[in-house]
Amino acid sequence: MAADGFFRVALGVEYKGSRYRGWQRQASGVLTVQETLENALSKVADSPVSLHCAGRTDAGVHACGQVVHFDTQVERSLKAWVMGANINLPHDVSVSWAQVMPAHFHARFKAIARRYRYVIYNDQIRPAHLNEEITWNHRPLDVERMAEAAQYLVGTHDFSAFRAGQCQAKSPIKELHHLRVTRHGKMIVLDIRASAFLHHMVRNIAGVLMTIGSGERPVEWMKEVLESRIRRSGGVTAHPYGLYLVQVEYRDEFQLPERYIGPHFLTGFAELDG
């Protein structure tokens, strides 16, 4: 809860994670998104700002729908929070909106769903563009096989087989609302929405799906991996470059501004939002 005399402010944030060792502030000298954003906001507030985020992304992972909040006694216009932060931020972090929230709002604990997209560039030749914003896979991938395998994961399951060893979640049981696999020219997009995610869960799912899409394993292998509940049965963890936190959802009582569901280079594909 925000203390008396404080305002609770929520922000929409997007960033390219390539240069950062993840969201969470770490030891001195380690570049993180949290510290970078806190430093910029502290200049706007002319006092220290401490942030809470909806989802702590890993090193190299991007966001275009991150939600954060902080408490402050400083009065600034919403435009001042946005423009002031952006003036003080590097080119790869941007604040997209600001809104004063009720004291019981919390960016992380009040979130009811999170949505990620994993973008694969599927071509024999390595791309020169977006090389840290997409994952390149040179093997021809069968999207229909990947989409069929993905359906084994929809629903409420024990996702231990897709959980990193250092995961701190209390339970491996999560509800996965949808997992769509679509092709758009050379790009394949995995669109995944769940109540919450385990550490490396999306990247481990992506690794299994690409293995199935290449024909190395049958479609039914996804079911076997899921039911094994053993991480080593699922193969490699996919690279972080293609992973984006694209949306965080809250109950209707928290009316947050809406923006496009990114990343920005996919906004022309209307069928992704189906």
Side-chain angles (χ1 to χ4, degrees), residues 137-209:
N137 194 312
H138 69 279
R139 300 175 296 178
L141 298 177
D142 187 324
V143 170
E144 292 185 1
R145 285 169 53 88
M146 295 169 70
E148 183 180 352
Q151 296 315 299
Y152 285 114
L153 302 183
V154 176
T156 302
H157 304 285
D158 183 329
F159 284 95
S160 294
F162 301 95
R163 178 181 190 173
Q166 62 270 43
C167 181
Q168 298 177 354
K170 293 181 179 179
S171 171
I173 298 175
K174 303 297 175 187
E175 181 184 5
L176 198 153
H177 301 134
H178 75 235
L179 175 47
R180 304 173 186 140
V181 184
T182 54
R183 178 181 285 277
H184 310 273
K186 297 290 187 181
M187 288 189 291
I188 296 172
V189 180
L190 314 182
D191 189 312
I192 180 168
R193 176 179 178 269
S195 56
F197 289 87
L198 303 170
H199 193 199
H200 287 176
M201 179 173 161
V202 178
R203 291 168 58 190
N204 289 332
I205 289 173
V208 171
L209 286 174

Side-chain angles (χ1 to χ4, degrees), residues 3-244:
D4 289 343
F6 281 78
F7 303 97
R8 179 153 293 184
V9 181
L11 303 176
V13 184
E14 53 187 55
Y15 48 85
K16 178 181 176 181
S18 308
R19 290 196 307 131
Y20 300 92
R21 293 296 299 168
W23 161 266
Q24 191 168 8
R25 178 188 285 269
Q26 299 181 36
S28 177
V30 177
L31 188 63
T32 66
V33 180
Q34 181 180 8
E35 183 175 5
T36 300
L37 185 54
E38 286 178 343
N39 290 343
L41 290 166
S42 297
K43 292 178 181 178
V44 180
D46 198 26
S47 60
V49 169
S50 179
L51 293 170
H52 301 269
C53 75
R56 292 176 291 184
T57 52
D58 291 334
V61 176
H62 318 295
C64 41
Q66 177 71 276
V67 177
V68 307
H69 84 261
F70 62 95
D71 293 337
T72 181
Q73 292 179 299
V74 176
E75 291 191 52
R76 298 283 187 269
S77 69
L78 298 181
K79 182 177 180 180
W81 285 121
V82 174
M83 302 306 294
N86 286 338
I87 288 171
N88 290 289
L89 284 168
H91 67 280
D92 48 8
V93 183
S94 180
V95 174
S96 53
W97 54 260
Q99 184 161 307
V100 177
M101 301 300 294
H104 65 287
F105 173 81
H106 194 287
R108 179 183 177 190
F109 297 122
K110 292 297 183 179
I112 59 173
R114 294 164 179 83
R115 184 174 177 181
Y116 286 84
R117 282 177 173 171
Y118 192 85
V119 186
I120 304 161
Y121 184 81
N122 190 210
D123 190 72
Q124 188 176 8
I125 305 300
R126 173 178 55 83
H129 305 289
L130 300 176
N131 63 341
E132 292 182 326
E133 297 175 67
I134 55 178
T135 287
W136 171 49
N137 194 312
H138 69 279
R139 300 175 296 178
L141 298 177
D142 187 324
V143 170
E144 292 185 1
R145 285 169 53 88
M146 295 169 70
E148 183 180 352
Q151 296 315 299
Y152 285 114
L153 302 183
V154 176
T156 302
H157 304 285
D158 183 329
F159 284 95
S160 294
F162 301 95
R163 178 181 190 173
Q166 62 270 43
C167 181
Q168 298 177 354
K170 293 181 179 179
S171 171
I173 298 175
K174 303 297 175 187
E175 181 184 5
L176 198 153
H177 301 134
H178 75 235
L179 175 47
R180 304 173 186 140
V181 184
T182 54
R183 178 181 285 277
H184 310 273
K186 297 290 187 181
M187 288 189 291
I188 296 172
V189 180
L190 314 182
D191 189 312
I192 180 168
R193 176 179 178 269
S195 56
F197 289 87
L198 303 170
H199 193 199
H200 287 176
M201 179 173 161
V202 178
R203 291 168 58 190
N204 289 332
I205 289 173
V208 171
L209 286 174
M210 284 189 280
T211 301
I212 291 172
S214 69
E216 185 178 337
R217 293 278 193 162
V219 169
E220 295 74 21
W221 185 52
M222 178 65 83
K223 185 173 185 289
E224 295 174 11
V225 172
L226 176 66
E227 293 179 348
S228 75
R229 302 181 183 179
I230 300 172
R231 171 66 200 109
R232 64 177 178 272
S233 67
V236 300
T237 301
H239 291 297
Y241 306 130
L243 183 57
Y244 293 79

Side-chain angles (χ1 to χ4, degrees), residues 14 64 130 133 244 260-268:
E14 53 187 55
C64 41
L130 300 176
E133 297 175 67
Y244 293 79
Y260 64 84
I261 298 176
H264 64 87
F265 55 84
L266 295 179
T267 56

